Amino acid sequence: MIRSIVRYGEHVLHEPASPVGEITPDIHTLIDDMIDTMYAAPGVGLAAPQIGVPLQIFVVDLSAGRASGDLMVLINPTFIAREGMQTEDEGCLSLPGFNATVVRPARAVLTGLDRDGRERTVEGTGLLARAFQHEMDHLDGTVFVDRLRGIAREIIIRKIHKLRRAGKW
Ligand code: ZN
Protein backbone atom coordinates (compact mmCIF):
# COMPACT_ATOMS: atom_id res chain seq x y z
CA MET A 1 0.00 0.00 0.00
CA ILE A 2 1.30 3.43 -0.92
CA ARG A 3 1.49 5.68 2.13
CA SER A 4 1.83 9.42 2.22
CA ILE A 5 5.33 10.78 2.69
CA VAL A 6 5.78 13.22 5.55
CA ARG A 7 7.62 16.43 4.84
CA TYR A 8 10.36 18.44 6.47
CA GLY A 9 8.96 20.03 9.64
CA GLU A 10 7.02 16.97 10.87
CA HIS A 11 8.40 15.85 14.26
CA VAL A 12 8.93 12.23 13.21
CA LEU A 13 11.58 13.37 10.68
CA HIS A 14 13.55 15.26 13.29
CA GLU A 15 13.79 12.67 16.07
CA PRO A 16 15.88 9.47 16.30
CA ALA A 17 13.99 6.30 15.35
CA SER A 18 13.79 3.27 17.68
CA PRO A 19 15.26 -0.16 16.94
CA VAL A 20 12.86 -2.85 15.74
CA GLY A 21 12.32 -5.53 18.41
CA GLU A 22 10.71 -8.54 16.79
CA ILE A 23 10.17 -8.84 13.04
CA THR A 24 6.41 -9.43 13.09
CA PRO A 25 3.90 -9.62 10.20
CA ASP A 26 3.17 -5.94 10.91
CA ILE A 27 6.84 -5.14 10.23
CA HIS A 28 6.64 -7.07 6.94
CA THR A 29 3.57 -5.06 5.97
CA LEU A 30 5.39 -1.86 6.88
CA ILE A 31 8.38 -2.86 4.70
CA ASP A 32 6.08 -3.73 1.76
CA ASP A 33 4.40 -0.34 2.14
CA MET A 34 7.78 1.40 2.23
CA ILE A 35 8.80 -0.33 -1.02
CA ASP A 36 5.47 0.52 -2.71
CA THR A 37 5.76 4.13 -1.55
CA MET A 38 9.39 4.47 -2.71
CA TYR A 39 8.61 3.08 -6.19
CA ALA A 40 5.46 5.19 -6.56
CA ALA A 41 7.24 8.43 -5.64
CA PRO A 42 9.51 7.47 -7.52
CA GLY A 43 12.62 7.45 -5.37
CA VAL A 44 15.77 5.42 -4.79
CA GLY A 45 15.50 5.25 -1.00
CA LEU A 46 13.02 5.61 1.84
CA ALA A 47 13.31 5.41 5.62
CA ALA A 48 10.39 4.41 7.89
CA PRO A 49 10.18 7.87 9.56
CA GLN A 50 9.36 9.28 6.11
CA ILE A 51 6.00 7.52 6.25
CA GLY A 52 5.53 8.55 9.88
CA VAL A 53 6.86 5.39 11.57
CA PRO A 54 9.76 6.04 14.00
CA LEU A 55 11.51 2.69 13.49
CA GLN A 56 15.03 1.89 12.25
CA ILE A 57 14.22 0.49 8.80
CA PHE A 58 15.18 1.73 5.36
CA VAL A 59 14.81 0.52 1.79
CA VAL A 60 17.12 1.43 -1.10
CA ASP A 61 16.89 0.60 -4.80
CA LEU A 62 19.10 2.64 -7.11
CA SER A 63 17.20 1.29 -10.14
CA ALA A 64 13.90 2.58 -8.65
CA GLY A 65 12.36 -0.83 -9.36
CA ARG A 66 13.67 -1.28 -12.90
CA ALA A 67 16.27 -3.94 -12.10
CA SER A 68 15.33 -6.90 -9.95
CA GLY A 69 17.95 -7.66 -7.34
CA ASP A 70 18.77 -4.02 -6.62
CA LEU A 71 16.31 -3.72 -3.75
CA MET A 72 17.82 -3.68 -0.27
CA VAL A 73 15.94 -3.72 3.02
CA LEU A 74 17.87 -3.04 6.19
CA ILE A 75 16.53 -3.23 9.75
CA ASN A 76 18.45 -1.80 12.74
CA PRO A 77 21.44 -0.89 10.57
CA THR A 78 24.75 0.37 11.94
CA PHE A 79 27.87 1.64 10.22
CA ILE A 80 30.93 -0.61 10.17
CA ALA A 81 33.07 1.66 8.00
CA ARG A 82 32.95 5.02 6.26
CA GLU A 83 35.83 6.45 4.28
CA GLY A 84 36.80 8.89 1.58
CA MET A 85 34.78 11.88 0.46
CA GLN A 86 32.34 12.73 -2.35
CA THR A 87 30.54 15.96 -3.16
CA GLU A 88 27.33 15.59 -5.19
CA ASP A 89 23.86 16.99 -5.54
CA GLU A 90 21.28 15.40 -3.25
CA GLY A 91 17.52 15.54 -2.80
CA CYS A 92 14.92 13.92 -0.55
CA LEU A 93 11.31 12.75 -0.98
CA SER A 94 10.50 14.66 2.22
CA LEU A 95 11.76 17.90 0.65
CA PRO A 96 10.19 17.81 -2.81
CA GLY A 97 11.62 20.40 -5.16
CA PHE A 98 14.84 21.01 -3.25
CA ASN A 99 18.38 19.86 -3.99
CA ALA A 100 21.74 20.80 -2.59
CA THR A 101 25.36 19.76 -2.73
CA VAL A 102 26.14 17.55 0.25
CA VAL A 103 29.57 16.23 1.25
CA ARG A 104 29.47 12.51 2.12
CA PRO A 105 32.00 9.72 2.57
CA ALA A 106 32.76 7.91 -0.72
CA ARG A 107 32.32 4.42 0.71
CA ALA A 108 30.10 3.02 3.43
CA VAL A 109 29.71 -0.44 4.93
CA LEU A 110 26.67 -1.27 7.02
CA THR A 111 25.43 -4.23 8.96
CA GLY A 112 21.82 -4.91 9.85
CA LEU A 113 19.00 -7.42 9.47
CA ASP A 114 17.15 -8.25 6.28
CA ARG A 115 13.37 -8.71 6.23
CA ASP A 116 13.76 -12.33 7.40
CA GLY A 117 15.89 -11.32 10.37
CA ARG A 118 19.14 -12.60 8.88
CA GLU A 119 22.24 -10.55 9.53
CA ARG A 120 23.52 -8.83 6.40
CA THR A 121 26.50 -6.68 5.55
CA VAL A 122 26.17 -4.30 2.63
CA GLU A 123 28.80 -2.14 1.02
CA GLY A 124 28.36 0.83 -1.24
CA THR A 125 30.48 3.34 -3.09
CA GLY A 126 29.42 6.43 -5.02
CA LEU A 127 25.65 6.87 -5.24
CA LEU A 128 24.93 3.76 -3.18
CA ALA A 129 27.17 4.99 -0.34
CA ARG A 130 25.37 8.32 -0.53
CA ALA A 131 21.95 6.62 -0.41
CA PHE A 132 22.96 4.54 2.63
CA GLN A 133 24.17 7.61 4.48
CA HIS A 134 21.14 9.67 3.53
CA GLU A 135 18.80 6.96 4.89
CA MET A 136 20.95 6.41 8.01
CA ASP A 137 20.61 10.14 8.65
CA HIS A 138 16.81 9.77 8.56
CA LEU A 139 17.04 7.09 11.26
CA ASP A 140 18.99 9.61 13.38
CA GLY A 141 16.42 12.36 12.82
CA THR A 142 18.65 14.25 10.38
CA VAL A 143 17.67 15.47 6.91
CA PHE A 144 20.13 16.64 4.26
CA VAL A 145 19.50 20.34 4.87
CA ASP A 146 20.78 19.82 8.45
CA ARG A 147 24.15 19.01 6.86
CA LEU A 148 24.28 22.28 4.94
CA ARG A 149 25.90 25.42 6.27
CA GLY A 150 25.26 29.10 5.93
CA ILE A 151 23.32 30.59 3.05
CA ALA A 152 22.63 27.27 1.25
CA ARG A 153 20.70 26.05 4.30
CA GLU A 154 18.99 29.39 4.95
CA ILE A 155 17.64 29.68 1.41
CA ILE A 156 15.95 26.26 1.56
CA ILE A 157 14.54 26.78 5.08
CA ARG A 158 13.20 30.22 4.14
CA LYS A 159 11.49 28.84 1.02
CA ILE A 160 9.90 26.00 3.03
CA HIS A 161 8.57 28.48 5.62
CA LYS A 162 7.12 30.55 2.82
CA LEU A 163 5.44 27.49 1.26
CA ARG A 164 4.09 26.49 4.68
CA ARG A 165 2.60 29.94 5.28
CA ALA A 166 0.93 29.68 1.88
CA GLY A 167 -0.49 26.26 2.83
CA LYS A 168 1.53 24.56 0.11
CA TRP A 169 3.76 22.41 2.35
ZN1 ZN B 1 15.42 11.61 2.47
Short mmCIF file of all heavy atoms in Angstrom, two decimals, residues 83-123:
data_model
loop_
_atom_site.label_atom_id
_atom_site.label_comp_id
_atom_site.label_asym_id
_atom_site.label_seq_id
_atom_site.Cartn_x
_atom_site.Cartn_y
_atom_site.Cartn_z
N GLU A 83 34.53 5.85 4.63
CA GLU A 83 35.83 6.45 4.28
C GLU A 83 35.75 7.25 2.98
O GLU A 83 34.80 7.09 2.20
CB GLU A 83 36.89 5.35 4.16
CG GLU A 83 36.55 4.30 3.14
CD GLU A 83 37.42 3.05 3.26
OE1 GLU A 83 37.96 2.79 4.33
OE2 GLU A 83 37.54 2.35 2.25
N GLY A 84 36.74 8.07 2.78
CA GLY A 84 36.80 8.89 1.58
C GLY A 84 35.83 10.04 1.63
O GLY A 84 35.22 10.31 2.68
N MET A 85 35.66 10.72 0.51
CA MET A 85 34.78 11.88 0.46
C MET A 85 34.23 12.06 -0.94
O MET A 85 34.94 11.85 -1.92
CB MET A 85 35.57 13.12 0.86
CG MET A 85 34.72 14.30 1.22
SD MET A 85 35.76 15.70 1.69
CE MET A 85 35.80 16.59 0.16
N GLN A 86 32.96 12.40 -1.05
CA GLN A 86 32.34 12.73 -2.35
C GLN A 86 31.45 13.95 -2.16
O GLN A 86 30.88 14.17 -1.09
CB GLN A 86 31.53 11.55 -2.88
CG GLN A 86 30.43 11.06 -1.94
CD GLN A 86 29.50 10.06 -2.62
OE1 GLN A 86 29.06 10.26 -3.74
NE2 GLN A 86 29.18 8.96 -1.90
N THR A 87 31.35 14.74 -3.20
CA THR A 87 30.54 15.96 -3.16
C THR A 87 29.61 15.93 -4.36
O THR A 87 30.05 16.04 -5.49
CB THR A 87 31.45 17.20 -3.23
OG1 THR A 87 32.40 17.10 -2.17
CG2 THR A 87 30.66 18.48 -3.07
N GLU A 88 28.31 15.70 -4.10
CA GLU A 88 27.33 15.59 -5.19
C GLU A 88 26.03 16.26 -4.77
O GLU A 88 25.80 16.54 -3.60
CB GLU A 88 27.05 14.11 -5.50
CG GLU A 88 28.24 13.31 -6.01
CD GLU A 88 28.69 13.69 -7.41
OE1 GLU A 88 27.90 14.30 -8.16
OE2 GLU A 88 29.85 13.38 -7.74
N ASP A 89 25.18 16.44 -5.77
CA ASP A 89 23.86 16.99 -5.54
C ASP A 89 22.98 15.92 -4.89
O ASP A 89 23.10 14.75 -5.21
CB ASP A 89 23.26 17.38 -6.90
CG ASP A 89 22.38 18.60 -6.77
OD1 ASP A 89 22.70 19.49 -5.95
OD2 ASP A 89 21.36 18.67 -7.49
N GLU A 90 22.13 16.35 -3.98
CA GLU A 90 21.28 15.40 -3.25
C GLU A 90 19.90 15.98 -3.04
O GLU A 90 19.74 17.18 -2.84
CB GLU A 90 21.96 15.11 -1.90
CG GLU A 90 21.39 13.93 -1.16
CD GLU A 90 22.31 13.51 -0.01
OE1 GLU A 90 23.54 13.41 -0.20
OE2 GLU A 90 21.78 13.28 1.09
N GLY A 91 18.89 15.12 -3.09
CA GLY A 91 17.52 15.54 -2.80
C GLY A 91 16.88 14.55 -1.85
O GLY A 91 17.52 13.59 -1.41
N CYS A 92 15.61 14.76 -1.53
CA CYS A 92 14.92 13.92 -0.55
C CYS A 92 13.42 13.96 -0.82
O CYS A 92 12.87 15.03 -1.10
CB CYS A 92 15.21 14.45 0.86
SG CYS A 92 14.36 13.54 2.17
N LEU A 93 12.76 12.80 -0.74
CA LEU A 93 11.31 12.75 -0.98
C LEU A 93 10.54 13.58 0.05
O LEU A 93 9.41 13.97 -0.20
CB LEU A 93 10.82 11.30 -0.95
CG LEU A 93 11.34 10.39 -2.07
CD1 LEU A 93 10.88 8.95 -1.85
CD2 LEU A 93 10.89 10.89 -3.43
N SER A 94 11.16 13.85 1.19
CA SER A 94 10.50 14.66 2.22
C SER A 94 10.74 16.16 2.02
O SER A 94 10.22 16.97 2.79
CB SER A 94 10.97 14.23 3.62
OG SER A 94 10.53 12.92 3.89
N LEU A 95 11.54 16.49 1.01
CA LEU A 95 11.76 17.90 0.65
C LEU A 95 11.59 18.06 -0.85
O LEU A 95 12.54 18.40 -1.57
CB LEU A 95 13.15 18.38 1.08
CG LEU A 95 13.35 18.60 2.56
CD1 LEU A 95 14.11 17.46 3.17
CD2 LEU A 95 14.07 19.90 2.80
N PRO A 96 10.38 17.78 -1.35
CA PRO A 96 10.19 17.81 -2.81
C PRO A 96 10.53 19.17 -3.39
O PRO A 96 10.15 20.20 -2.84
CB PRO A 96 8.71 17.47 -2.98
CG PRO A 96 8.07 17.75 -1.66
CD PRO A 96 9.14 17.51 -0.64
N GLY A 97 11.28 19.15 -4.48
CA GLY A 97 11.62 20.40 -5.16
C GLY A 97 12.93 21.02 -4.72
O GLY A 97 13.35 22.03 -5.29
N PHE A 98 13.59 20.43 -3.73
CA PHE A 98 14.84 21.01 -3.25
C PHE A 98 16.01 20.04 -3.44
O PHE A 98 15.87 18.85 -3.22
CB PHE A 98 14.73 21.38 -1.76
CG PHE A 98 13.75 22.49 -1.52
CD1 PHE A 98 12.47 22.22 -1.06
CD2 PHE A 98 14.10 23.80 -1.78
CE1 PHE A 98 11.56 23.24 -0.85
CE2 PHE A 98 13.20 24.83 -1.58
CZ PHE A 98 11.92 24.55 -1.11
N ASN A 99 17.13 20.61 -3.85
CA ASN A 99 18.38 19.86 -3.99
C ASN A 99 19.50 20.71 -3.45
O ASN A 99 19.40 21.94 -3.47
CB ASN A 99 18.67 19.59 -5.48
CG ASN A 99 17.77 18.52 -6.04
OD1 ASN A 99 16.59 18.77 -6.28
ND2 ASN A 99 18.29 17.34 -6.22
N ALA A 100 20.57 20.05 -3.02
CA ALA A 100 21.74 20.80 -2.59
C ALA A 100 22.95 19.89 -2.66
O ALA A 100 22.83 18.67 -2.66
CB ALA A 100 21.55 21.32 -1.18
N THR A 101 24.11 20.51 -2.72
CA THR A 101 25.36 19.76 -2.73
C THR A 101 25.69 19.37 -1.30
O THR A 101 25.75 20.21 -0.41
CB THR A 101 26.48 20.65 -3.31
OG1 THR A 101 26.07 21.05 -4.61
CG2 THR A 101 27.78 19.90 -3.40
N VAL A 102 25.87 18.06 -1.09
CA VAL A 102 26.14 17.55 0.25
C VAL A 102 27.43 16.72 0.20
O VAL A 102 27.60 15.88 -0.68
CB VAL A 102 24.98 16.66 0.77
CG1 VAL A 102 25.24 16.22 2.21
CG2 VAL A 102 23.65 17.38 0.67
N VAL A 103 28.32 16.98 1.14
CA VAL A 103 29.57 16.23 1.25
C VAL A 103 29.28 14.95 2.04
O VAL A 103 28.68 14.99 3.11
CB VAL A 103 30.66 17.05 1.96
CG1 VAL A 103 31.94 16.23 2.11
CG2 VAL A 103 30.94 18.34 1.20
N ARG A 104 29.68 13.81 1.47
CA ARG A 104 29.47 12.51 2.12
C ARG A 104 30.71 11.67 1.96
O ARG A 104 31.47 11.85 0.99
CB ARG A 104 28.33 11.76 1.43
CG ARG A 104 26.97 12.43 1.41
CD ARG A 104 26.22 12.16 2.67
NE ARG A 104 24.82 12.56 2.60
CZ ARG A 104 24.03 12.57 3.66
NH1 ARG A 104 24.49 12.18 4.84
NH2 ARG A 104 22.78 12.95 3.55
N PRO A 105 30.93 10.68 2.83
CA PRO A 105 32.00 9.72 2.57
C PRO A 105 31.76 8.97 1.25
O PRO A 105 30.61 8.79 0.84
CB PRO A 105 31.93 8.78 3.77
CG PRO A 105 31.32 9.61 4.85
CD PRO A 105 30.32 10.49 4.15
N ALA A 106 32.84 8.55 0.60
CA ALA A 106 32.76 7.91 -0.72
C ALA A 106 32.37 6.44 -0.62
O ALA A 106 31.87 5.86 -1.58
CB ALA A 106 34.09 8.04 -1.44
N ARG A 107 32.60 5.85 0.54
CA ARG A 107 32.32 4.42 0.71
C ARG A 107 31.71 4.21 2.09
O ARG A 107 32.13 4.85 3.06
CB ARG A 107 33.63 3.63 0.57
CG ARG A 107 33.50 2.14 0.83
CD ARG A 107 34.84 1.43 0.59
NE ARG A 107 34.76 0.03 0.97
CZ ARG A 107 35.14 -0.44 2.16
NH1 ARG A 107 35.63 0.36 3.09
NH2 ARG A 107 35.03 -1.73 2.42
N ALA A 108 30.72 3.33 2.15
CA ALA A 108 30.10 3.02 3.43
C ALA A 108 29.80 1.54 3.51
O ALA A 108 29.39 0.92 2.53
CB ALA A 108 28.80 3.82 3.58
N VAL A 109 30.05 0.96 4.67
CA VAL A 109 29.71 -0.44 4.93
C VAL A 109 28.78 -0.47 6.13
O VAL A 109 29.03 0.16 7.16
CB VAL A 109 30.98 -1.28 5.22
CG1 VAL A 109 30.61 -2.76 5.35
CG2 VAL A 109 32.03 -1.08 4.13
N LEU A 110 27.68 -1.20 5.96
CA LEU A 110 26.67 -1.27 7.02
C LEU A 110 26.38 -2.72 7.36
O LEU A 110 26.47 -3.59 6.50
CB LEU A 110 25.33 -0.68 6.54
CG LEU A 110 25.23 0.74 6.07
CD1 LEU A 110 23.81 1.02 5.64
CD2 LEU A 110 25.62 1.67 7.17
N THR A 111 25.96 -2.92 8.59
CA THR A 111 25.43 -4.23 8.96
C THR A 111 24.05 -4.02 9.56
O THR A 111 23.77 -2.99 10.17
CB THR A 111 26.39 -4.97 9.93
OG1 THR A 111 25.85 -6.26 10.17
CG2 THR A 111 26.56 -4.24 11.23
N GLY A 112 23.19 -4.98 9.33
CA GLY A 112 21.82 -4.91 9.85
C GLY A 112 21.10 -6.21 9.55
O GLY A 112 21.74 -7.19 9.13
N LEU A 113 19.79 -6.22 9.74
CA LEU A 113 19.00 -7.42 9.47
C LEU A 113 18.21 -7.23 8.19
O LEU A 113 17.77 -6.12 7.89
CB LEU A 113 18.03 -7.68 10.63
CG LEU A 113 18.64 -7.82 12.03
CD1 LEU A 113 17.54 -7.97 13.07
CD2 LEU A 113 19.60 -9.02 12.08
N ASP A 114 18.04 -8.33 7.43
CA ASP A 114 17.15 -8.25 6.28
C ASP A 114 15.72 -8.53 6.75
O ASP A 114 15.48 -8.73 7.95
CB ASP A 114 17.61 -9.18 5.15
CG ASP A 114 17.49 -10.66 5.49
OD1 ASP A 114 16.82 -11.00 6.50
OD2 ASP A 114 18.07 -11.48 4.75
N ARG A 115 14.77 -8.59 5.82
CA ARG A 115 13.37 -8.71 6.23
C ARG A 115 13.07 -10.05 6.91
O ARG A 115 12.05 -10.18 7.59
CB ARG A 115 12.42 -8.45 5.07
CG ARG A 115 12.61 -9.38 3.89
CD ARG A 115 11.62 -9.02 2.80
NE ARG A 115 10.26 -9.23 3.27
CZ ARG A 115 9.21 -8.47 2.94
NH1 ARG A 115 9.37 -7.47 2.13
NH2 ARG A 115 8.02 -8.74 3.40
N ASP A 116 13.95 -11.04 6.74
CA ASP A 116 13.76 -12.33 7.40
C ASP A 116 14.54 -12.43 8.71
O ASP A 116 14.60 -13.50 9.32
CB ASP A 116 14.17 -13.47 6.45
CG ASP A 116 13.35 -13.46 5.18
OD1 ASP A 116 12.12 -13.32 5.28
OD2 ASP A 116 13.94 -13.54 4.08
N GLY A 117 15.17 -11.33 9.10
CA GLY A 117 15.89 -11.32 10.37
C GLY A 117 17.30 -11.86 10.28
O GLY A 117 17.95 -12.07 11.31
N ARG A 118 17.77 -12.11 9.05
CA ARG A 118 19.14 -12.60 8.88
C ARG A 118 20.11 -11.43 8.86
O ARG A 118 19.82 -10.40 8.24
CB ARG A 118 19.28 -13.40 7.57
CG ARG A 118 18.63 -14.77 7.63
CD ARG A 118 18.85 -15.48 6.31
NE ARG A 118 18.27 -14.72 5.21
CZ ARG A 118 17.36 -15.20 4.35
NH1 ARG A 118 16.94 -16.44 4.44
NH2 ARG A 118 16.89 -14.44 3.37
N GLU A 119 21.25 -11.62 9.50
CA GLU A 119 22.24 -10.55 9.53
C GLU A 119 22.86 -10.38 8.14
O GLU A 119 23.18 -11.36 7.47
CB GLU A 119 23.32 -10.86 10.55
CG GLU A 119 23.88 -9.58 11.14
CD GLU A 119 24.55 -9.81 12.48
OE1 GLU A 119 23.88 -10.31 13.41
OE2 GLU A 119 25.73 -9.48 12.56
N ARG A 120 22.97 -9.12 7.73
CA ARG A 120 23.52 -8.83 6.40
C ARG A 120 24.52 -7.70 6.50
O ARG A 120 24.34 -6.76 7.28
CB ARG A 120 22.40 -8.39 5.46
CG ARG A 120 21.63 -9.52 4.84
CD ARG A 120 20.90 -9.04 3.59
NE ARG A 120 21.83 -8.58 2.56
CZ ARG A 120 21.44 -8.01 1.41
NH1 ARG A 120 20.16 -7.82 1.17
NH2 ARG A 120 22.32 -7.62 0.53
N THR A 121 25.56 -7.78 5.67
CA THR A 121 26.50 -6.68 5.55
C THR A 121 26.42 -6.17 4.12
O THR A 121 26.45 -6.97 3.19
CB THR A 121 27.94 -7.16 5.87
OG1 THR A 121 27.94 -7.64 7.22
CG2 THR A 121 28.93 -6.01 5.77
N VAL A 122 26.25 -4.88 3.98
CA VAL A 122 26.17 -4.30 2.63
C VAL A 122 27.23 -3.22 2.51
O VAL A 122 27.57 -2.53 3.47
CB VAL A 122 24.76 -3.73 2.32
CG1 VAL A 122 23.74 -4.84 2.26
CG2 VAL A 122 24.36 -2.67 3.32
N GLU A 123 27.75 -3.10 1.28
CA GLU A 123 28.80 -2.14 1.02
C GLU A 123 28.41 -1.30 -0.18
O GLU A 123 27.85 -1.83 -1.15
CB GLU A 123 30.10 -2.90 0.73
CG GLU A 123 31.27 -1.97 0.52
CD GLU A 123 32.53 -2.70 0.09
OE1 GLU A 123 32.66 -3.89 0.40
OE2 GLU A 123 33.36 -2.05 -0.57
#
